[in-house]
Amino acid sequence: MTGGADLSGTINRNLAAAAQRLGIGMMLGSQRVVLDTARGEEAATSFAVRDVAPDVLLFGNIGLAQMTKDAVPHIVRALDRVGADVLAVHTNPLQEAIQRNGDTDFSGSLHRLHDLAGMLGYPVLLKEVGHGIGAAAVAKLLRLSGEPPVAAIDVAGAGGTSWSRVEQLVRYGELRYPDLADWGIPTAQAILDVRHALPVIPLVASGGIRTGMDAAKALALGADVVAIARPLLGPAIESADAAIDWLQRFIDELRICLHGCAAADLRALRNVEVVSTP
Ligand SMILES: Cc1cc2nc3c(=O)[nH]c(=O)nc-3n(C[C@H](O)[C@H](O)[C@H](O)COP(=O)(O)O)c2cc1C
């Protein structure tokens, strides 16, 4: 979720300590600020978590708009420095369009992703930020070369944090375009779409995952992993123990869902019958 300021460092370290304790993964916030040579050195320390989380699967993070050929060595240096295992690339055209001075030039960005992903030496996960990656986006990815140029996808669908809503409130102090606040592919639909198009790609479900039961549903619909952002912000500001408490309750609820579905493990949830009601 974050990085670049003092509080970000606290949040990242508390999340990292919780991830280490519970054996789960963690994604850093956008490392764009580290690419900025003026502020980069100072900002880098807020992303440093390996000393408290030596074993977690750690995702670095950058925007698709920032992924240029010139930026590749800087991105690699930022990933090396934090000891990341994977780079998450977020595509967020709606957010950028509403943000003041947003980076709205996405022209050629999928081709750049295709050309540059292999140059990083890190596997790439492609994600949205809460408006969803669905069938149309996957079709475009596949048109590039017949295979997705990324190792994994996080649908980051609609139904949870809406950056279109947040940016309107930040910029205008009100919802100037209310319809845009709710625009997006709902997470459940996005999971079905991406899983249908890409049957074996590692698939993360984020966007509105709030409870262990939400996780169970997302996994039963075809996700391999779920991710949570907004609900962990408060606990992560408070302490590592607060983040652990929140996550442990979530995991316990998911466990009870497995029991209720007679699923011996997470993989077995895939075979559970999913019934949609209107
Ligand atoms: C405070 C906050 C900061 C975020 N920062 C980033 C970011 O830097 N990069 C990114 O890819 N996604 C970012 N996200 C988006 C999340 O990764 C996630 O896709 C989205 O919030 C949906 O999940 P949620 O409904 O659980 O919040 C952020 C979300 C929150 C709440």
Side-chain angles (χ1 to χ4, degrees):
M1 281 185 280
T2 194
D6 285 350
L7 182 59
S8 320
T10 304
I11 293 169
N12 279 334
R13 293 176 72 77
N14 286 340
L15 288 174
Q20 176 73 23
R21 174 90 67 85
L22 296 171
I24 60 180
M26 172 184 172
M27 189 183 292
L28 297 165
S30 173
Q31 292 170 276
R32 181 181 185 175
V33 63
V34 182
L35 309 187
D36 174 346
T37 43
R39 290 191 299 151
E41 200 49 40
E42 196 188 330
T45 54
S46 64
F47 293 95
V49 296
R50 270 295 182 215
D51 57 323
V52 290
D55 305 314
V56 306
L57 180 68
L58 185 64
F59 292 74
N61 189 290
I62 202 74
L64 183 55
Q66 284 89 57
M67 195 145 156
T68 62
K69 197 168 181 188
D70 289 348
V72 164
H74 303 284
I75 295 171
V76 171
R77 201 170 313 130
L79 295 172
D80 291 348
R81 191 164 175 171
V82 296
D85 300 298
V86 185
L87 174 64
V89 176
H90 64 264
T91 174
N92 60 341
L94 184 56
Q95 178 183 15
E96 297 284 351
I98 295 170
Q99 206 170 43
R100 192 190 302 276
N101 302 321
D103 203 343
T104 52
D105 185 2
F106 281 78
S107 56
S109 55
L110 282 187
H111 283 100
R112 284 205 314 278
L113 179 69
H114 176 258
D115 296 344
L116 302 180
M119 293 168 57
L120 292 161
Y122 284 89
V124 172
L125 169 142
L126 180 66
K127 72 187 288 288
E128 232 282 341
V129 296
H131 302 288
I133 290 181
V138 170
K140 279 189 183 172
L141 282 176
L142 290 175
R143 269 203 294 277
L144 292 171
S145 66
E147 281 179 33
V150 293
I153 291 178
D154 175 351
V155 298
T161 304
S162 162
W163 280 100
S164 159
R165 180 182 299 271
V166 173
E167 299 293 359
Q168 289 186 54
L169 295 175
V170 169
R171 183 167 177 184
Y172 305 112
E174 61 173 11
L175 281 186
R176 184 165 295 196
Y177 316 110
D179 283 359
L180 297 186
D182 296 324
W183 191 11
I185 304 161
T187 298
Q189 186 64 49
I191 297 167
L192 290 171
D193 287 355
V194 178
R195 182 49 84 213
H196 179 71
L198 299 168
V200 296
I201 198 163
L203 184 59
V204 184
S206 79
I209 303 293
R210 299 291 176 261
T211 64
M213 191 150 188
D214 288 339
K217 290 175 185 172
L219 296 165
L221 286 173
D224 297 296
V225 180
V226 299
I228 305 147
R230 176 67 183 88
L232 283 169
L233 190 56
I237 290 170
E238 198 181 319
S239 65
D241 281 344
I244 290 168
D245 283 352
W246 194 96
L247 284 161
Q248 190 61 60
R249 183 184 300 210
F250 182 99
I251 292 167
D252 291 344
E253 183 174 333
L254 175 56
R255 248 181 230 285
I256 296 167
C257 290
L258 290 180
H259 174 78
C261 292
D265 53 25
L266 293 175
R267 197 173 292 273
L269 260 189
R270 276 283 185 85
N271 302 324
V272 164
E273 187 188 1
V274 181
V275 180
S276 318
T277 47

